[in-house]
Amino acid sequence: MSRNIILNHQEIEHKITRIAYQIYETFVDEKEIVLAGIADNGYVFAKKIAVAVEQISPIKVLLCEVTINKQQPQLPILTSMQPKEYKDKGLVLVDDVLNSGTTLVYGVRHFLDVPLSKFKTAVLVDRNHKKYPVKADFKGISLSTSLLEHVQVDFSGEENSAWLS
């Protein structure tokens, strides 16, 4: 199976920085925000964005890991924070790839049970194959692909990358 690199390490770092500035501009009046990353890669991506936001702004970032069963997203969603910890705060739900929108829409639904001051979404790659009316407010790249193609994001090593296979 061939790998067509769509984002190399340096490009991903640029996307993280740009998304961090967009988040800062959006939440400029907040002292504290929550980045809720969908496990596994979404949470890794959220941690990288959190570091970038804290480097460029006075905003304190709280990280929340969100566990969604991607095969059965209607099952209960687990979060590493209690609802009272993110109540009335600005929150960004983060994932690595937005494909059909299923995972993101179930994640959004989960957080709607608690009042938030502002709610946004962020993804590294938006594939434009949504079956739900969900959008990414902050995105690294929009990519039109065939349904047979698959986007992989690798945050495991020193050199991050995203590729199409």
Side-chain angles (χ1 to χ4, degrees):
M1 191 178 292
S2 67
R3 282 188 181 187
N4 296 322
I5 300 290
I6 54 176
L7 292 171
N8 64 32
H9 180 75
Q10 185 177 10
E11 291 167 330
I12 290 174
E13 293 302 309
H14 287 296
K15 304 294 184 194
I16 289 167
T17 302
R18 184 170 54 80
I19 289 170
Y21 275 104
Q22 291 173 323
I23 288 171
Y24 178 34
E25 289 168 1
T26 302
F27 294 95
V28 70
D29 296 330
E30 303 281 340
K31 290 183 179 11
E32 201 173 68
I33 63 168
V34 175
L35 292 185
I38 297 172
D40 293 309
N41 266 356
Y43 184 65
V44 174
F45 188 41
K47 289 195 288 189
K48 291 176 178 295
I49 294 170
V51 169
V53 168
E54 289 186 334
Q55 286 175 344
I56 63 166
S57 77
I59 297 173
K60 180 180 178 195
V61 178
L62 305 173
L63 281 166
C64 176
E65 187 169 15
V66 181
T67 304
I68 298 174
N69 182 323
K70 293 184 181 190
Q71 280 66 49
Q72 295 179 293
Q74 70 280 3
L75 292 177
I77 293 171
L78 305 173
T79 60
S80 63
M81 293 176 75
Q82 295 299 314
K84 66 181 182 205
E85 296 176 272
Y86 54 81
K87 182 181 178 194
D88 297 323
K89 289 185 171 49
L91 187 138
V92 181
L93 184 61
V94 180
D95 205 0
D96 60 340
V97 179
L98 173 53
N99 190 13
S100 69
T102 303
T103 304
L104 210 57
V105 82
Y106 277 91
V108 166
R109 190 181 81 175
H110 173 80
F111 286 102
L112 291 178
D113 291 336
V114 175
L116 301 169
S117 67
K118 202 176 284 184
F119 190 5
K120 300 290 181 183
T121 57
V123 298
L124 179 60
V125 180
D126 181 353
R127 287 197 55 204
N128 300 321
H129 287 299
K130 294 168 205 64
K131 68 179 185 182
Y132 292 101
V134 64
K135 72 177 183 75
D137 297 295
F138 313 114
K139 57 188 155 206
I141 186 173
S142 288
L143 187 67
S144 294
T145 60
S146 79
L147 290 172
L148 300 176
E149 293 172 306
H150 188 69
V151 174
Q152 294 276 102
V153 178
D154 183 7
F155 290 124
S156 64
E158 291 293 314
E159 291 292 315
N160 303 323
S161 63
W163 68 91
L164 193 60
S165 57

